[in-house]
């Protein structure tokens, strides 16, 4: 069965014509609408800090808001940039989200890579691997509800979550794959590289751990339209903004399924990362890749256009992927 995800990072370029308040309201409305119409299985929220376009900086807060507007949708934070935070506060916040949405929350723990974010947090970027290892351990101990010692202090997180959230480790290198296995966590690579899964599985075997992994596939943005060329005329500059902003962040060791170096609209279309498709093409795409990522506010695109795509998807694509009965 095709996995259907809504993805949000809520960045707004200067030319968008609407505000962050508009985008956050639209995000919550779309999540509620998607659940009502069984049009998505999960919501994926991202995190970055200090970005001019207002890229979402507090995904745990938004996860709580999404949980309050829905009853069944799973919520994944991909990723919590763990080394940038106080892990005890993260444990407390995530415990509360779990209590209002039992069993629906999961998180990908990411290292982070933008130097500006480490500078802003006052964290030495070279320590990020060590901090991630340490903080995953803190989260697990914190979610037990029992007191434990950490850095010379007695810590107790209450209330504890009803069901401790699943932790996956993000990354795009063999080091991240081995780290996930060593920490006895799931693995969520940033890129669809089967070799990373092989490294992860082999390391899991060494540690006697039955791992679980989630290899990405398919485009990072799918928009459904009866007239793709018409919608490209609006979406194009938002996709270029999104792609070029993300490309500017990339470091030599960073790989991502949703990265393209495209500099023109034609290159965006050819990249395969951004797809504007008819209902028939969307069905074919879903059947070929097994996952659809609907990113209805991508690059600050108009919320009404994103909603039109969701409604067309629910009316003309979803019934062919999941026939009634």
């Amino acid at each position: 069965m095709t996995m259907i995800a809504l993805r949000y990072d809520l960045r707004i370029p200067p030319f968008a014509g609407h505000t962050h308040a508009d985008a956050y309201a639209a995000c919550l409305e779309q999540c509620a609408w998607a659940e009502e119409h069984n049009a998505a299985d999960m919501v994926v929220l991202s995190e970055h800090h200090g970005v001019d376009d207002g890229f979402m900086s507090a995904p745990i807060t938004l996860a709580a808001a999404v949980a309050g507007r829905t009853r069944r949708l799973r919520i994944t934070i991909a990723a919590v940039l763990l080394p940038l935070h106080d892990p005890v506060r993260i444990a407390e916040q995530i415990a509360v989200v779990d209590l209002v949405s039992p069993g629906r929350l999961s998180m990908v723990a990411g290292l982070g890579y933008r130097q500006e974010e480490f500078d802003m947090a006052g964290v030495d970027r070279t320590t990020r691997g060590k901090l991630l290892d340490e903080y995953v351990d803190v989260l697990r101990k914190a979610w037990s509800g029992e007191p434990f010692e950490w850095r010379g202090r007695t810590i107790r997180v209450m209330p504890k979550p009803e069901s401790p959230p699943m932790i996956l480790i993000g990354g795009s290198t063999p080091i991240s794959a081995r780290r996930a296995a060593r920490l006895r966590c799931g693995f969520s690579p940033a890129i669809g590289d089967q070799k990373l899964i092989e490294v992860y599985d082999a390391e899991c075997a060494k540690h006697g751990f039955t791992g679980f992994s989630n290899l990405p596939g398919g485009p990072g943005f799918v928009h459904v339209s009866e007239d793709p060329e018409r919608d490209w005329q609006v979406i194009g500059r938002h996709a270029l903004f999104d792609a070029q902003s993300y490309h500017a962040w990339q470091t030599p060791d960073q790989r991502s399924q949703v990265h393209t170096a495209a500099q023109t609209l034609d290159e965006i279309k050819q990249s395969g990362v951004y797809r504007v498709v008819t209902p028939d093409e969307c069905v074919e795409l879903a059947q070929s890749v097994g996952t659809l990522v609907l990113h209805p506010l991508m690059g600050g695109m108009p919320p009404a256009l994103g909603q039109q795509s969701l409604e067309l998807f629910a009316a003309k694509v979803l019934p062919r992927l999941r026939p009634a009965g």
Side-chain angles (χ1 to χ4, degrees):
M1 184 173 70
T2 301
M3 175 65 69
I4 303 164
L6 297 179
R7 176 183 168 210
Y8 295 98
D9 55 35
L10 301 182
R11 49 175 46 192
I12 303 292
F15 56 81
H18 60 277
T19 68
H20 281 96
D22 296 330
Y24 276 77
C27 169
L28 295 177
E29 290 295 330
Q30 289 175 355
C31 289
W33 184 93
E35 178 171 274
E36 179 183 353
H37 293 83
N38 296 313
D41 301 302
M42 64 189 303
V43 179
V44 181
L45 308 176
S46 303
E47 174 187 353
H48 280 293
H49 298 272
V51 183
D52 288 344
D53 59 36
F55 195 115
M56 189 191 316
S57 58
I60 299 173
T61 303
L62 185 59
V66 171
R69 293 292 300 272
T70 59
R71 293 294 178 267
R72 299 183 308 277
L73 276 180
R74 284 174 282 161
I75 304 166
T76 297
I77 303 174
V80 177
L81 305 181
L82 205 50
L84 301 179
H85 298 284
D86 176 341
V88 176
R89 291 293 296 127
I90 292 292
E92 290 175 329
Q93 293 166 22
I94 287 181
V96 169
V97 177
D98 179 73
L99 288 169
V100 300
S101 58
R104 290 200 281 148
L105 181 67
S106 63
M107 60 172 280
V108 177
L111 285 170
Y113 58 90
R114 295 180 67 236
Q115 183 63 50
E116 299 93 330
E117 293 178 280
F118 286 90
D119 293 343
M120 180 175 166
V123 175
D124 180 353
R125 187 180 184 276
T126 65
T127 67
R128 59 184 184 151
K130 178 181 177 181
L131 291 176
L132 183 66
D133 291 1
E134 178 185 3
Y135 289 1
V136 167
D137 183 59
V138 170
L139 292 181
R140 285 175 166 156
K141 289 176 178 176
W143 290 333
S144 74
E146 297 298 323
F148 65 98
E149 296 298 313
W150 179 60
R151 294 188 176 182
R153 311 194 303 271
T154 299
I155 305 296
R156 190 181 188 194
V157 166
M158 289 295 288
K160 68 178 184 178
E162 182 166 308
S163 53
M166 179 189 300
I167 301 176
L168 297 93
I169 301 298
S172 57
T173 66
I175 292 173
S176 61
R178 287 190 285 269
R179 170 177 286 111
R182 174 169 45 78
L183 295 177
R184 305 178 78 83
C185 290
F187 182 43
S188 181
I191 192 165
D193 184 347
Q194 183 61 38
K195 292 181 180 179
L196 292 175
I197 301 300
E198 294 170 3
V199 171
Y200 173 67
D201 289 342
E203 194 71 12
C204 283
K206 291 181 184 178
H207 291 274
F209 172 60
T210 301
F212 48 96
S213 55
N214 177 26
L215 194 67
F221 166 79
V222 175
H223 175 91
V224 186
S225 172
E226 296 284 18
D227 188 344
E229 283 307 312
R230 176 201 65 203
D231 285 4
W232 265 123
Q233 297 307 307
V234 177
I235 291 169
R237 64 176 181 168
H238 294 276
L240 272 171
F241 171 82
D242 187 74
Q244 291 172 357
S245 299
Y246 192 56
H247 176 64
W249 294 352
Q250 301 309 297
T251 57
D253 61 341
Q254 181 71 18
R255 296 188 298 159
S256 171
Q257 189 77 14
V258 296
H259 174 226
T260 172
Q263 296 297 311
T264 67
L265 181 55
D266 284 343
E267 289 173 348
I268 285 283
K269 292 179 178 179
Q270 294 166 11
S271 73
V273 173
Y274 300 83
R275 296 288 304 274
V276 180
V277 294
T278 65
D280 287 347
E281 290 169 338
C282 190
V283 171
E284 293 175 5
L285 178 63
Q287 292 172 340
S288 66
V289 302
T291 302
L292 286 178
V293 178
L294 308 178
H295 195 349
L297 300 177
M298 179 276 301
M301 61 184 275
L305 183 58
Q307 182 64 29
Q308 288 172 19
S309 171
L310 292 178
E311 292 178 6
L312 185 58
F313 172 80
K316 294 193 174 182
V317 177
L318 193 62
R320 296 164 65 183
L321 300 179
R322 301 177 181 177

